[in-house]
Amino acid sequence: MTGWLVIAGLGPGAGALVTPEVSAALAEATDVVGYIPYVARVAPRAGLTLHPSDNRVELDRAAHALRMAADGRRVVVVSSGDPGVFAMASAVFEALEAGPSDWQALDIRVLPGITAMLAAAAAAGAPLGHDFCAINLSDNLKPFALVERRLRLAAEADLAMAFYNPRSKSRPHQFARVLGILRESCGPDRLITFARAVSTPDQRLLTVTLAESTEDMADMRTVVIVGNSATRRVGRWVYTPRSA
Ligand code: SAH
């Protein structure tokens, strides 16, 4: 048996947003590896072993997946959204770099998925319709000072911004600090969209100004989009013109 390793994105939640090539890889897999809630989105079947694991064990999980592929198994590592956006693809390449060099000959493919910010932007209109950046607000793997620096520079560059992992129980107050920096750098009238559980039955969209925004508008299932200085409302939508 020839093993392979696919690192796949499951999209933001809706089954219709899983790409056909990801579904095809899952149909051929012998093993699925990933964070518990993402593995739960894969239908069990005969011949498929599910390996759910806890958060924050990304490197162990990646090495486990590589070992199984090297043993001849057909392994899919699942992430939500896109696997290259604050997710497992980089963790797999880190494990590949640290592992035995013969792993580098393995058949490894990264299959893209629809990332949360794009699903959220589509639901809201087109707030990311011109230049933008994406920032992970979690300081699990980097100092919060770096987050602050990137926020200020993105605001100075007048980029629209998408924020992942805005708020968690382990760091409840940092998001208030983020909103403070944004008010300071972008002014009180800038539009901010809170998009929660996009494409699932729990989806909730809320657009307010920075002055009206409060930290409890975000949780770990929310992606936050801040417009640039030209982002505006039309009817019930929010968009950024292509000229700004
Ligand atoms: N790889 C994923 C991101 C993983 S980080 C992707 O490309 O989407 C986890 C963060 O993604 C969450 O804290 C939240 O900010 C965002 N997220 C994931 N799914 C989401 C959804 N359906 N709706 C809103 N935000 C989501």
Side-chain angles (χ1 to χ4, degrees):
M1 187 162 84
T2 319
W4 46 251
L5 177 60
V6 158
I7 308 130
L10 297 176
L17 299 183
V18 179
T19 68
E21 67 172 357
V22 167
S23 299
L26 288 170
E28 286 176 23
T30 56
D31 299 86
V32 171
V33 174
Y35 179 38
I36 299 157
Y38 306 153
V39 172
R41 287 170 55 188
V42 177
R45 61 170 165 77
L48 178 66
T49 308
L50 301 176
H51 305 268
S53 49
D54 203 351
N55 220 352
R56 302 195 185 200
V57 293
E58 284 93 348
L59 267 188
D60 296 344
R61 185 193 288 154
H64 178 216
L66 282 158
R67 267 195 309 275
M68 286 195 292
D71 287 345
R73 304 192 66 85
R74 300 187 296 273
V75 184
V76 179
V77 175
V78 288
S79 286
S80 73
D82 181 90
V85 179
F86 312 132
M88 282 305 293
S90 289
V92 169
F93 291 115
E94 270 176 63
L96 187 65
E97 202 172 28
S101 58
D102 52 341
W103 279 0
Q104 293 177 22
L106 287 170
D107 175 4
I108 300 175
R109 278 164 296 145
V110 182
L111 305 184
I114 296 177
T115 188
M117 68 177 171
L118 298 185
L128 303 179
H130 202 61
D131 300 335
F132 66 91
C133 64
I135 300 178
N136 183 350
L137 295 186
S138 166
D139 63 353
N140 279 349
L141 301 170
K142 67 183 174 202
F144 192 68
L146 184 57
V147 173
E148 292 197 9
R149 176 172 146 76
R150 289 189 173 149
L151 283 174
R152 290 186 197 282
L153 290 171
E156 187 186 327
D158 200 17
L159 293 169
M161 306 170 214
F163 301 136
Y164 287 73
N165 295 310
R167 196 156 169 250
S168 78
K169 288 194 190 84
S170 61
R171 45 187 176 87
H173 305 303
Q174 279 172 0
F175 187 59
R177 171 115 189 89
V178 165
L179 291 177
I181 293 170
L182 290 169
R183 278 186 211 109
E184 231 174 84
S185 323
C186 306
D189 300 325
R190 184 68 57 90
L191 292 179
I192 180 168
T193 297
F194 296 88
R196 181 171 194 275
V198 175
S199 89
T200 79
D202 302 329
Q203 175 171 317
R204 200 192 64 206
L205 277 184
L206 171 68
T207 299
V208 295
T209 63
L210 279 178
E212 294 161 337
S213 64
T214 55
E215 60 177 315
D216 58 351
M217 290 175 180
D219 65 8
M220 278 310 275
R221 294 186 73 192
T222 308
V223 65
V224 180
I225 296 178
V226 175
N228 73 10
S229 59
T231 302
R232 57 188 86 147
R233 294 177 190 264
V234 55
R236 60 183 188 279
W237 294 281
V238 180
Y239 87 105
T240 302
R242 292 169 300 154
S243 54

